[in-house]
Amino acid sequence: MKAPLFDVAIVGASVSGASLAIRLGQQGLTTALIDKQSFPRRKACGEGISDIALNSLYQLGLEEEILKLGGQPFFSFRLGLEKRSFEFASGHHPTLKGIGIPRYRLDKLLTDHASALPSVDPFLGSSVTDIVMEGSNYLINLADGSQISARYLVLADGTNSVNAAKLGIPKTTKKKLPLWGINFVLEGKYKKTTGEVLILLKDGFEVYCTPVSDTTLNVAMLARKERVAHLQDESVQQQLLREAAEKSSFRGEVTGSPLVVGPVGVTKRPYSYRSILLLGDTTESLDPIAGMGITHGVMMSEHAATALVAILQNGVSEDEALKTYAANCKEMSRVYRGFTQLTASLLRSRLRKLLIPVLSGTRLPFLINNALRCQSASASASIICLPFTKFLQIIGS
């Protein structure tokens, strides 16, 4: 039996892959959405979705559905440093910074919405065994025996993409220490609503506390390699979870098993390779410290959709469209990477006890937030982020 032919096959149905499938499906392009897992499923994540990513998803007509997920809006970030804490917000009247949403709910919403579109076919719960060229098309074989043929291939299957490795897509290893994460979910109730994400700064690791529903607190611990063994000690975990709950005005208990992920933030691949587009963590996994991973993937899906529609519907040459896609992603990623490096340089600086109290009272968060939100402000964001990052790296070394 001949494999069905699609315009595009997307391997990886998480946020970036599913949002791309929605964009393509709304344009009438036949799209195969593939993932080895069925949804819903848990995934280690800080679970804070920025206002930038939300606005992009709202433009797909998803605002009402996302708000029905019951997430918790946040308007500021609070840094816990020993016995003190410092608020980082944008101005005297903080605006929405994002919403905390359980990742399994968001992913399920996006895959369901994509699957409901007439031109999108889901292939979920079966892994890709191999991908080969058949003429000018990609022939994708799945573990359940299914075959899919597609004119264009998108890889959105994460940092450790086996498919990218099999296809010979080159990668480079970043010259930085890898990070590991441990994710907990606490169920209970809040003593009061804080409207903030709390980040506890510790020696060699951070603890991110994100309210994701009116009964749920997500706690994610991000550690450098030398501190992983310390965080695997159950008594240490319990102590940190008690502190996270108390300082988040929450009372509850851990539900389910913790999820461990890593290493993250250590590889980089090209944005496109031949007629393959790469999305999100598959091309570059940002340090989770700034919480821009989902935003990075969602915004890349916008550029990928523009490129594929240009080729398949508007007659733009493949070479021109993919060069534009790579250039747009490079410029956008430079800004998010700069913001991430700035955040890491500040929060992990040896002088953070001096810097954080001073900077929490400045307009720097306001300036950076405005620059990140403006699509045309890449240069201004870089002007703000990059020199200050270098300054922090020098004085903190």
Side-chain angles (χ1 to χ4, degrees), residues 240-258:
L240 290 170
L241 290 170
R242 284 194 296 270
E243 181 183 359
E246 179 184 348
K247 292 184 177 179
S248 299
S249 298
F250 185 83
R251 182 177 297 164
E253 300 293 333
V254 173
T255 180
S257 302

Side-chain angles (χ1 to χ4, degrees), residues 323-387:
K323 280 183 178 179
T324 301
Y325 169 69
N328 288 338
C329 288
K330 181 178 180 180
E331 182 66 16
M332 180 197 70
S333 298
R334 185 168 66 95
V335 176
Y336 290 134
R337 189 185 311 116
F339 173 67
T340 298
Q341 291 172 347
L342 170 60
T343 305
S345 296
L346 172 62
L347 301 193
R348 294 174 185 152
S349 169
R350 295 179 182 178
L351 299 179
R352 65 187 183 185
K353 292 180 183 179
L354 297 175
L355 293 169
I356 288 174
V358 173
L359 294 175
S360 67
T362 69
R363 289 179 57 83
L364 182 65
F366 175 78
L367 294 172
I368 293 174
N369 183 264
N370 275 2
L372 289 170
R373 290 182 62 172
C374 180
Q375 288 281 357
S376 61
S378 295
S380 61
S382 296
I383 289 171
I384 296 169
C385 290
L386 297 181

Side-chain angles (χ1 to χ4, degrees), residues 40-280:
R41 56 90 174 93
R42 284 184 64 200
K43 182 173 182 178
C45 180
E47 299 193 331
I49 317 300
S50 77
D51 60 326
I52 301 170
L54 285 171
N55 289 334
S56 179
L57 295 175
Y58 289 169
Q59 290 171 15
L60 299 177
L62 296 172
E63 181 172 5
E64 184 176 346
E65 292 178 69
I66 289 176
L67 293 178
K68 284 181 179 178
L69 295 178
Q72 294 294 295
F74 56 89
F75 302 87
S76 64
F77 299 88
R78 182 169 296 278
L79 304 182
L81 189 58
E82 296 181 348
K83 295 182 179 181
R84 303 177 66 190
S85 68
F86 304 90
E87 184 183 28
F88 278 69
S90 298
H92 297 295
H93 303 286
T95 55
L96 181 72
K97 299 297 181 298
I99 298 178
I101 301 176
R103 184 62 183 271
Y104 74 92
R105 291 183 187 172
L106 180 64
D107 286 345
K108 182 69 162 59
L109 168 64
L110 295 177
T111 55
D112 284 353
H113 195 88
S115 302
L117 294 169
S119 62
V120 177
D121 283 9
F123 296 84
L124 307 177
S126 186
S127 59
V128 173
T129 56
D130 63 18
I131 302 173
V132 297
M133 293 300 300
E134 189 179 66
S136 60
N137 299 324
Y138 292 94
L139 182 65
I140 304 164
N141 294 294
L142 303 183
D144 65 3
S146 301
Q147 283 191 321
I148 299 162
S149 182
R151 297 169 65 186
Y152 287 90
L153 176 65
V154 177
L155 295 182
D157 49 346
T159 302
N160 301 313
S161 173
V162 174
N163 298 297
K166 286 182 178 179
L167 290 165
I169 299 176
K171 70 175 181 179
T172 56
T173 301
K174 297 178 185 177
K175 294 180 180 178
K176 58 184 287 187
L177 291 174
L179 301 164
W180 273 260
I182 307 175
N183 205 172
F184 298 85
V185 176
L186 279 65
E187 289 288 345
K189 63 180 181 179
Y190 291 91
K191 290 177 275 188
K192 66 176 182 178
T193 301
T194 63
E196 63 188 22
V197 172
L198 172 67
I199 305 172
L200 302 176
L201 302 177
K202 303 295 183 180
D203 182 18
F205 64 96
E206 302 91 38
V207 181
Y208 301 82
C209 312
T210 308
V212 294
S213 81
D214 56 7
T215 61
T216 311
L217 176 69
N218 183 75
V219 179
M221 303 175 187
L222 185 66
R224 294 192 282 275
K225 185 176 181 179
E226 69 272 13
R227 300 295 281 165
V228 172
H230 175 69
L231 286 183
Q232 290 176 334
D233 185 313
E234 204 167 305
S235 64
V236 173
Q237 292 178 0
Q238 292 304 314
Q239 180 183 347
L240 290 170
L241 290 170
R242 284 194 296 270
E243 181 183 359
E246 179 184 348
K247 292 184 177 179
S248 299
S249 298
F250 185 83
R251 182 177 297 164
E253 300 293 333
V254 173
T255 180
S257 302
L259 297 180
V260 179
V261 62
V264 296
V266 294
T267 59
K268 191 176 187 309
R269 297 183 181 90
Y271 301 109
S272 66
Y273 180 77
R274 296 174 182 165
S275 55
I276 304 171
L277 288 77
L278 286 78
L279 278 187

